[in-house]
Amino acid sequence: MQYILRIGPWHIGPFATHQAASHFAESHGCDDYTMIPMDDPAEAPSKIIRLRMAPLDHPMKKAPVAEASA
């Protein structure tokens, strides 16, 4: 099984093992990452595109506030 890392808006990989992906993230000082398993490394580009199209939960983005009508 292959793995890619999602670190914020970036996707890094594929890595051959879970340990290799974890080592890469930790050696580069990344504490907050998501490890995404893949069966085939050739599917990485299409999986990355699908993940990019999904909306990111960003702390600066808030739900629109309805204006109070007077």
Side-chain angles (χ1 to χ4, degrees):
M1 180 162 292
Q2 302 280 319
Y3 297 90
I4 58 174
L5 293 175
R6 181 172 60 191
I7 302 171
W10 300 287
H11 294 85
I12 303 166
F15 295 95
T17 64
H18 183 274
Q19 291 85 5
S22 295
H23 175 72
F24 177 87
E26 292 170 5
S27 66
H28 286 85
C30 302
D31 293 332
D32 186 23
Y33 61 88
T34 304
M35 191 165 308
I36 304 165
M38 294 181 300
D39 293 326
D40 182 15
E43 73 178 282
S46 62
K47 188 169 245 188
I48 289 171
I49 289 171
R50 285 194 307 267
L51 291 171
R52 281 189 187 155
M53 295 299 140
L56 290 176
D57 292 331
H58 194 276
M60 298 300 291
K61 291 183 179 179
K62 296 180 180 177
V65 179
E67 293 182 23
S69 58

